[in-house]
Amino acid sequence: QRRRSQCAGDGLVALIDLPLTVSPVVAGLSIVLVYGTRGLWGQWLVDHGLPVVFAWPGVVIATVFVTFPFVARELIPLMQEQGSGEEEAAVVLGASGWQVFRRITLPNVRWGLLYGVMLCTARAMGEFGAVSVVSGPIRGSTNTIPLHVEILYNEYQLAGAFAGASLLSLLTIGTVVGAS
């Protein structure tokens, strides 16, 4: 029984690590294949006024996909180390799931969660591959700073591209230093 549980945990960790092993461009292509107008759910979503590809929802999905492992990799070992004794005691004493989460789990993992979110934010600021495929960098609509830097560079506006890249670098370094 314990060995079966360990195998299931290993499978979950492998699934969480998937975005770290797959190229961001491939991740973006996968999102287009699922949510594009010719994808599995894309046409239905567009028909109901919820476009994903070439819209902000696609940018958010792509960014969350490539950055989620940073939060999970911080929280999983922390939660395994702490165990579930306090949560189980709270449930036995009549606490609801939300109460257990809000009063026990979240306070116990808040610093790991904050650190993971800051790493996630630093990674998200520079995401280019998946976002480029999914957003089709539409100026004023789905353009992000890394995509805008590329556009400026391709238009030979080197000062603007350098300024954007410098700003992005400073924000990312500031986020990582703030997490330390």
Side-chain angles (χ1 to χ4, degrees), residues 130-174:
V131 171
S132 178
V133 172
V134 171
S135 73
I138 301 167
R139 284 190 182 185
S141 178
T142 61
N143 209 6
T144 62
I145 294 175
L147 298 178
H148 192 66
V149 167
E150 182 200 26
I151 290 170
L152 291 174
Y153 180 79
N154 288 337
E155 293 176 350
Y156 300 103
Q157 296 180 18
L158 300 181
F162 181 77
S166 298
L167 174 65
L168 189 60
S169 297
L170 289 173
L171 287 172
T172 303
I173 291 169

Side-chain angles (χ1 to χ4, degrees), residues 3-180:
R3 179 70 185 144
R4 194 174 326 158
S5 175
Q6 179 65 30
C7 290
D10 291 343
L12 180 61
V13 170
L15 187 62
I16 289 170
D17 286 345
L18 183 66
L20 297 175
T21 59
V22 173
S23 165
V25 173
V26 172
L29 178 61
S30 299
I31 293 168
V32 169
L33 292 174
V34 172
Y35 296 108
T37 53
R38 295 184 183 195
L40 294 174
W41 299 317
Q43 190 60 50
W44 184 87
L45 290 168
V46 169
D47 291 344
H48 288 83
L50 301 167
V52 173
V53 176
F54 304 129
W56 275 106
V59 173
V60 171
I61 290 170
T63 303
V64 167
F65 178 79
V66 298
T67 60
F68 174 74
F70 293 100
V71 176
R73 283 309 214 159
E74 289 298 319
L75 289 180
I76 290 171
L78 179 62
M79 294 178 84
Q80 285 176 336
E81 180 182 317
Q82 290 178 350
S84 60
E86 291 180 38
E87 286 92 349
E88 290 171 1
V91 170
V92 168
L93 292 172
S96 69
W98 175 246
Q99 288 173 324
V100 170
F101 176 75
R102 188 171 46 93
R103 293 187 179 167
I104 297 171
T105 306
L106 192 57
N108 285 343
V109 299
R110 70 177 170 262
W111 295 114
L113 179 63
L114 180 63
Y115 187 69
V117 167
M118 293 190 82
L119 287 175
C120 177
T121 302
R123 172 69 174 87
M125 281 192 267
E127 175 51 37
F128 181 83
V131 171
S132 178
V133 172
V134 171
S135 73
I138 301 167
R139 284 190 182 185
S141 178
T142 61
N143 209 6
T144 62
I145 294 175
L147 298 178
H148 192 66
V149 167
E150 182 200 26
I151 290 170
L152 291 174
Y153 180 79
N154 288 337
E155 293 176 350
Y156 300 103
Q157 296 180 18
L158 300 181
F162 181 77
S166 298
L167 174 65
L168 189 60
S169 297
L170 289 173
L171 287 172
T172 303
I173 291 169
T175 301
V176 171
V177 168
S180 298

